[in-house]
């Protein structure tokens, strides 16, 4: 990576940059990458509250082949109070009906995840590390379709193309995994005749190395060599941005606190990009006194239902190809969202059964089905912030107001019914009926800093991701997505970050030469 350092001397003295980026997940990394490509003259200070847990910084923990190293990276991603649970693989909890699922590398909100007798988001989870949730995600990168698309972005397909480049997306790399063809054949026979979007291989952010191993994309891939070689991009881990400073409707910079020793500093900059996540981005804006009416509102998660089946009647030739071990995410098939069937499905062949199973199982013969439903988006589903109570980082505490509507219940019921029918097509159920995960389990939180065409109180930013009413302030991440998406949001999130970064690259920044701002850090 370009220099990774703690801010010296962190004694409260001020410094200056051209652009400040808050958060190093795929969206924050996309800003750094595009700006490094298009405006390498700009001095970028990039802050993350979490530690570096991989080499290169931001890499996916699945690329850490040593179990102890991966466990350490996951524990260090778990915020102010890491768990002491044993190392588990990323399929742990797949068949769980626990009320508050927690996955390695993430941590739950202790309080405030529901109000009164509301449903809330009991499985609301975070990661705090360089790379953000991009160090722990499934790497699924489907394109949005039909009503998932943002209709007022005429260049959306170009942006999605660019996002695929940054993430290293391929729909073909694992399409010929053992038994994958048989799975897609059965899915297509049962579904394609009535659907406007056909079943296919899931586009995945992954590449195959020269030695044959897979490298799963994290923020390291998005940063790319150009960012790592950019001497004007400076990454500061374990540094919390506590306030975005503004005056007369313009950004002036940020206040930061070192989480290692508690010291503080002020950094001047005319442009700030907040790419924390769908909860901590509005939290920082709120703490900074930047409070557009839609901030934190239109919160939506994706109701999620899971199932698992063992393939029946596996053809002998297919079985012979499944003789060896497979990666746990081999052969991911995709059932795209449609308006008529408002849910998105991913069918993942597992390297083992998620629950104890009697009898022999070929690698890939047990298939996990995960269906994500589009949320009925409402303004009153929201996260609020309490200035009188602090969270573990000393920021305003969160309080989630969230309900499932009758429309949501119908979608969940329809998704469950379809999942049972598809399970019957594929084989025999492994753990009985499908399981509805608790709200928040999808980790696909959206809408809290949503994009819009007009400053009418129903959006936080414009179509370049600039916050309404504040010159130089941009937001990024899943929270910017304004539509009811059921598909995995990362590809769209990176696409929107590309749009914002291009807008900054074309603007009149900086006001003084970057070299002068480097000072003693050149």
């Amino acid at each position: 990576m370009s220099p990774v350092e703690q801010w010296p001397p962190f004694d409260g003295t001020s410094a200056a940059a051209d652009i400040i980026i808050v958060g190093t997940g795929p969206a924050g990394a996309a800003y750094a990458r595009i700006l490094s490509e298009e405006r390498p003259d700009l001095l970028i200070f990039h802050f993350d509250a979490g530690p570096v847990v991989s080499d290169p910084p931001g890499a996916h923990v699945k690329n850490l082949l040593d179990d102890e190293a991966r466990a350490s990276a996951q524990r260090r991603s778990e915020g102010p109070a890491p768990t002491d649970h044993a190392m588990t693989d990323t399929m742990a909890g797949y068949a769980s009906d626990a009320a508050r699922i927690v996955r390695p590398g993430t941590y739950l909100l202790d309080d405030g995840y529901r109000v009164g007798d509301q449903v809330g988001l009991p499985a609301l989870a975070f990661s705090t590390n360089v790379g953000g949730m991009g160090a722990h995600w499934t790497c699924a990168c489907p394109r949005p379709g039909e009503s998932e698309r943002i209709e007022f972005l005429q260049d959306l397909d170009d942006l999605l193309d660019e996002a695929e480049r940054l993430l290293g997306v391929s729909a073909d790399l694992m399409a010929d995994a053992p038994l994958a063809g048989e799975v897609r054949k059965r899915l297509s026979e049962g579904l394609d005749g009535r659907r406007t979007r056909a079943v296919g291989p899931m586009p995945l952010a992954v590449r195959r190395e020269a030695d044959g191993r897979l490298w799963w994309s994290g923020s390291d891939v998005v940063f790319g060599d150009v960012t790592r070689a950019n001497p004007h991009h400076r990454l500061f881990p374990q540094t919390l941005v506590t306030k975005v400073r503004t005056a007369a409707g313009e950004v002036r910079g940020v206040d930061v606190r070192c989480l290692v020793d508690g010291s503080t500093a002020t950094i001047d900059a005319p442009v700030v990009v907040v790419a924390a996540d769908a909860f901590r981005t509005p939290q920082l804006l709120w703490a900074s006194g930047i409070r557009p009416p839609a901030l934190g509102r239109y919160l939506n998660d994706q109701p999620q239902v899971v199932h698992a089946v063992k393939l029946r009647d596996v053809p002998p030739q297919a079985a012979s190809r499944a003789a060896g071990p497979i990666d746990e995410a081999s052969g991911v098939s995709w059932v795209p969202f449609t308006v008529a069937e408002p849910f998105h499905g991913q069918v993942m062949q597992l390297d083992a059964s998620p629950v104890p199973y009697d009898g022999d199982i070929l690698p890939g013969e047990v298939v996990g089905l995960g269906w994500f439903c589009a949320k009925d988006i409402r303004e009153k589903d929201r996260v609020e912030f309490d200035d009188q109570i602090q969270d573990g980082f000393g920021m305003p505490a969160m309080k989630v107001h969230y309900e499932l509507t009758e429309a949501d219940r119908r979608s969940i019921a329809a998704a469950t019914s379809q999942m049972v029918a598809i399970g019957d097509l594929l084989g025999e159920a492994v753990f009985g009926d499908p399981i509805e995960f608790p709200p928040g389990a999808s980790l696909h939180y959206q809408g809290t800093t949503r994009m819009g065409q007009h400053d009418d109180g129903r959006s936080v930013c414009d179509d370049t991701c600039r916050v309404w009413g504040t010159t130089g302030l941009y937001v990024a991440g899943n929270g910017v997505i304004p539509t009811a998406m059921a598909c995995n949001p990362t590809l769209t999130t990176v696409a929107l970050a590309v749009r914002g970064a291009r807008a900054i690259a074309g603007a009149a920044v900086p006001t003084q030469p970057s070299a002068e701002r480097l000072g003693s850090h050149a």
Side-chain angles (χ1 to χ4, degrees), residues 286 384-390 395-399:
W286 178 272
E384 292 181 342
F385 304 100
D386 192 330
D387 291 319
Q388 306 306 311
I389 303 175
Q390 295 183 338
M395 299 294 285
M398 301 178 190
K399 184 182 296 184

Side-chain angles (χ1 to χ4, degrees), residues 112-122 299 378 380-384 399-404 409 439:
Y113 57 85
R114 68 161 60 100
V115 175
D117 59 357
Q118 293 182 1
V119 168
L121 292 178
L299 168 63
R378 309 182 307 163
K380 61 184 178 181
D381 289 322
R382 66 196 187 278
V383 56
E384 292 181 342
K399 184 182 296 184
V400 176
H401 298 258
Y402 196 81
E403 284 282 27
L404 296 175
R409 295 294 184 189

Side-chain angles (χ1 to χ4, degrees), residues 38-50:
E38 298 190 10
R39 290 295 304 273
D41 58 305
L42 298 180
L43 176 59
I44 303 168
F45 283 177
H46 205 154
F47 296 103
D48 199 291

Side-chain angles (χ1 to χ4, degrees), residues 403-474:
E403 284 282 27
L404 296 175
T405 68
E406 289 303 314
D408 293 327
R409 295 294 184 189
R410 289 193 297 271
S411 293
I412 294 169
T416 303
S417 177
Q418 185 182 87
M419 184 173 285
V420 170
I422 289 175
D424 290 343
L425 282 174
L426 295 174
E428 311 300 332
V430 170
F431 55 75
D433 295 332
I435 294 172
E436 180 183 344
F437 275 172
S442 79
L443 309 179
H444 295 168
Y445 320 123
Q446 300 163 53
T448 52
T449 53
R450 70 201 307 247
M451 174 184 286
Q453 287 182 284
H454 309 288
D455 185 7
D456 56 7
R458 295 184 295 176
S459 59
V460 171
C461 66
D462 67 15
D463 62 4
T464 67
C465 303
R466 185 182 68 83
V467 174
W468 297 115
T470 306
T471 301
L473 179 59
Y474 293 76

Side-chain angles (χ1 to χ4, degrees), residues 9 24 31 55-56 70 185 201 290 346 384 447 496:
T24 59
Y31 271 86
D55 183 15
R70 187 164 62 256
K185 175 175 176 290
I290 302 167
Q346 48 195 62
E384 292 181 342
L496 299 182

